[in-house]
Amino acid sequence: MATVGLDRLYYSKITEDSAGDETYGTPQMLAKAMSADLEIELNEATLFADDAAAEVVKEFKSGKLSLGINDIGAAVAGDLVGAVIDDNGVVISQGEGMPSPVAVGFRAKKSNGKYRYFWLYRVIFGIPATNLATKGDSISFNTPTVEGTIFRRNKIDGQGKHPWKAEVNEDDASVLPATITGWYTAVYEPTFAATVE
């Protein structure tokens, strides 16, 4: 179903244990969302046998997230791109600063009025692009764009896999209401019923 809106853009800081497994902090508002473009890159291999393709494997490699936002505050800039705030409250971007990975969540309004919710489990952002222009005869807004690379997370889920995205439609009959109401209280953790082998 087509989407007609985008809002509730959040992020969650990640801490990693000695094995690199992620623990997610409490989600915080990132900014007011204007656009979110998600591009995915796949690893692909084709096995040929008897002069034809016998098997094809396509796996997630990485992705790119481009967010158009209304503004990026000082604290958010520190969390997302590794900038620091000096003693006078000025945001300082340093050449040696390394951004830390975060999880990113948002929702998109569908044409039926319901929402599709997302969490991207591990995103590393670069320095936001800045567009500036002098005021002319008409008013035009210039807003920042932040781009990040999406990776699968290190921590495995209940099926022994490394997820990179969680996505749910609130109007899916199989979705529990608590899943939707709790979407922004914590980064969604996949759950699977135990299987008997």
Side-chain angles (χ1 to χ4, degrees):
M1 181 171 292
T3 58
V4 296
L6 174 69
D7 69 355
R8 305 227 36 213
L9 179 58
Y10 279 69
Y11 74 100
S12 173
K13 295 188 333 186
I14 293 175
T15 55
E16 297 177 13
D17 64 17
S18 59
D21 287 351
E22 297 87 354
T23 300
Y24 298 101
T26 302
Q28 305 171 59
M29 180 72 83
L30 192 153
K32 290 186 177 181
M34 297 169 48
S35 64
D37 296 317
L38 181 62
E39 297 176 22
I40 302 304
E41 188 175 344
L42 299 174
N43 282 327
E44 183 174 341
T46 304
L47 173 68
F48 290 90
D50 287 340
D51 295 332
E55 292 184 40
V56 176
V57 175
K58 294 184 180 192
E59 293 181 345
F60 175 80
K61 179 178 179 182
S62 67
K64 186 172 104 177
L65 177 65
S66 181
L67 294 173
I69 55 176
N70 68 326
D71 193 14
I72 186 166
V76 173
D79 290 342
L80 262 57
V81 300
V84 295
I85 303 169
D86 76 0
D87 294 341
N88 296 315
V90 177
V91 177
I92 307 296
S93 297
Q94 300 166 325
E96 297 80 15
M98 282 299 297
S100 298
V102 296
V104 176
F106 51 91
R107 70 180 187 175
K109 189 172 188 177
K110 302 189 317 180
S111 57
N112 66 357
K114 301 297 182 182
Y115 288 91
R116 181 177 301 140
Y117 290 79
F118 299 85
W119 271 112
L120 302 173
Y121 284 115
R122 188 176 181 89
V123 180
I124 298 178
F125 284 100
I127 304 300
T130 303
N131 302 308
L132 306 170
T134 189
K135 188 169 116 181
D137 290 337
S138 61
I139 297 172
S140 62
F141 292 100
N142 291 300
T143 56
T145 300
V146 290
E147 289 190 357
T149 302
I150 303 162
F151 298 96
R152 69 181 199 168
R153 73 179 190 180
N154 298 323
K155 182 179 176 184
I156 60 172
D157 62 18
Q159 294 185 323
K161 308 286 186 188
H162 298 270
W164 64 274
K165 176 179 77 165
E167 179 178 343
V168 67
N169 290 296
E170 73 173 322
D171 54 347
D172 186 332
S174 66
V175 175
L176 298 173
T179 300
I180 301 303
T181 58
W183 197 255
Y184 293 107
T185 59
V187 174
Y188 180 77
E189 187 63 37
T191 57
F192 298 99
T195 57
V196 179
E197 294 186 29

